[in-house]
Amino acid sequence: MRSIWNGAISFGLVSIPIKLVNATESHSVSFRQIHTADGGRIRYRKVCELEEKEVPTAEIGKAYEEADGSVIPITDADLAALPLPTAKTIEIVAFVPAASIDPLQMDAAYYLSANGVPAAKPYTLLREALKRSQKVALAKFALRGRERLGMLRVVGDVIAMHGLLWPDEIRSPEGAAPEIEVSVREAELDLADALMDTLGEVDMDSLHDDYREAVEAMIAAKAEGGAAVSGTAPAEGAGGQVIDLMAALESSVKAAKEARGSGGPRESGGPRGGGGPREGRVAEVTSIGARKAAPAKKTASARKATGAGAGGAKKTTARTAGRSAKATAKKATTATATATAKTAKKTAKKTAKSSSRKHVS
């Protein structure tokens, strides 16, 4: 790897010669501007606005523009005369816990390579000291015409440096948070937590730039004389529409479970608050409402069973009452019939006696 800066790490009175190497590289596809009518390249030329002619690079210098538009020329000699102790040195100023560095300050990343055999011993010493202390080093260095802040940490067997923004370069988040008071229910937090557990962790090497791959495939197809590769348009987002948050969370958990099921189990981190690793664990959603309703289900079952028993008893009583009523009615009918028969007999006897008296007379 080609170095972009040579200097030394200043570790107290110890000086470690190093070379600075870019730790990252961009894979973005770059385009050129062309004239759409004939495909000709569009080029920019540096023109002096006073003479209205192109100026070569050797004749171009620096200047500071005032608020009123006037400029103050600044020469390389002016900048070289400035006292800059970190011009060729990465000066370590403190050792702090990594958690004390705000990720918002993170900028470009570099590898620090030991420059030469004499640098191997002090380089290894600093690396092992950082490992054992479990801290990172804060340092100041100068690069590309300005002094910068850096953080040194160990990556494998190499010391890496992250450029940091100065604290006053971090903007306040004022106005970024919702301006209205919003309350979140426990059930919604349960679903959000279940979605996080279901998604689990991911192998960073499995993530890739789908858009860049599509652009490269399209360029390859057009280079071979074919038509552009047609793709499926992404679904439009909800935008500013009001959605049912609970329904969206439940659908998200369901979709995540289905994706995990079709793609195979994926290693997941341990549960929050401790615990061992989990293999392919799919979170189950148990909302607060469901947790509170669980005992009620048993009570409802008990009530159902009691109700069933009471219903059976009622049916039995009704059947018994019905039979008793039938028996009573039957007895009543029989008694009525008997009484009617007796009355008829008496009437017949009286009629017969009257008839016999008439005949005797």
Side-chain angles (χ1 to χ4, degrees):
M1 293 185 285
R2 185 176 64 87
S3 64
I4 60 172
W5 184 89
N6 291 344
I9 300 174
S10 176
F11 178 30
L13 297 178
V14 179
S15 181
I16 310 170
I18 57 96
K19 293 186 292 184
L20 195 68
V21 179
N22 280 322
T24 62
E25 59 185 4
S26 174
H27 292 163
S28 298
V29 178
S30 59
F31 296 102
R32 303 295 185 187
Q33 292 183 327
I34 63 169
H35 184 200
T36 55
D38 55 17
R41 287 279 300 274
I42 301 297
R43 299 187 181 277
Y44 291 92
R45 291 181 171 85
K46 298 177 180 180
V47 176
C48 174
E49 64 179 16
L50 296 179
E51 296 181 352
E52 294 185 352
K53 68 176 185 178
E54 188 174 353
V55 179
T57 303
E59 296 180 11
I60 297 176
K62 299 181 181 71
Y64 177 81
E65 184 177 2
E66 295 277 16
D68 60 0
S70 61
V71 295
I72 302 174
I74 304 294
T75 67
D76 292 339
D78 294 331
L79 296 174
L82 294 176
L84 189 59
T86 58
K88 285 292 183 179
T89 304
I90 298 175
E91 182 183 356
I92 294 178
V93 295
F95 292 89
V96 299
S100 66
I101 304 298
D102 189 341
L104 285 174
Q105 290 184 257
M106 296 288 188
D107 201 3
Y110 309 93
Y111 291 135
L112 304 183
S113 172
N115 191 2
V117 175
K121 179 72 174 183
Y123 183 97
T124 304
L125 173 64
L126 176 60
R127 184 190 66 196
E128 296 305 312
L130 288 171
K131 281 184 180 180
R132 190 167 69 173
S133 68
Q134 296 184 343
K135 293 184 177 182
V136 297
L138 281 180
K140 295 170 69 175
F141 66 103
L143 182 65
R144 298 189 179 100
R146 55 169 292 195
E147 189 170 51
R148 302 168 187 263
L149 191 62
M151 179 189 76
L152 277 63
R153 69 183 183 97
V154 178
V155 178
D157 292 330
V158 178
I159 298 175
M161 182 173 69
H162 296 269
L164 299 177
L165 298 175
W166 296 100
D168 61 358
E169 292 180 312
I170 304 299
R171 299 175 62 184
S172 169
E174 183 180 357
E179 296 180 357
I180 60 174
E181 194 71 25
V182 178
S183 61
V184 179
R185 295 179 295 167
E186 288 292 330
E188 294 167 338
L189 286 173
D190 287 339
L191 282 171
D193 187 63
L195 178 57
M196 292 166 63
D197 285 341
T198 303
L199 292 174
E201 297 182 355
V202 66
D203 178 8
M204 294 296 290
D205 291 335
S206 67
L207 302 178
H208 51 88
D209 188 345
D210 294 324
Y211 180 75
R212 176 173 58 84
E213 292 178 358
V215 170
E216 290 173 347
M218 178 265 293
I219 293 174
K222 297 196 75 171
E224 294 176 358
V229 179
S230 60
T232 305
E236 293 186 2
Q241 298 178 5
V242 178
I243 62 173
D244 184 339
L245 184 57
M246 289 292 290
L249 286 169
E250 289 171 354
S251 300
S252 299
V253 172
K254 182 179 178 182
K257 287 181 179 179
E258 291 175 353
R260 288 284 297 276
S262 61
R266 198 169 59 195
E267 290 188 2
S268 176
R272 289 170 180 79
R278 297 173 293 180
E279 295 286 341
R281 177 179 179 272
V282 177
E284 295 297 333
V285 180
T286 306
S287 65
I288 293 296
R291 295 172 190 165
K292 292 181 178 178
K297 289 182 179 179
K298 294 180 181 178
T299 306
S301 300
R303 284 201 300 268
K304 188 175 180 182
T306 304
K314 287 181 180 179
K315 290 181 180 178
T316 303
T317 303
R319 283 197 295 269
T320 303
R323 289 171 185 167
S324 299
K326 287 180 180 179
T328 302
K330 189 174 182 181
K331 289 179 180 179
T333 303
T334 303
T336 302
T338 303
T340 302
K342 287 181 179 180
T343 303
K345 285 182 180 180
K346 289 180 179 180
T347 303
K349 285 181 180 182
K350 289 180 181 181
T351 304
K353 286 181 180 180
S354 299
S355 300
S356 63
R357 288 173 184 169
K358 287 180 181 181
H359 285 301
V360 171
S361 302

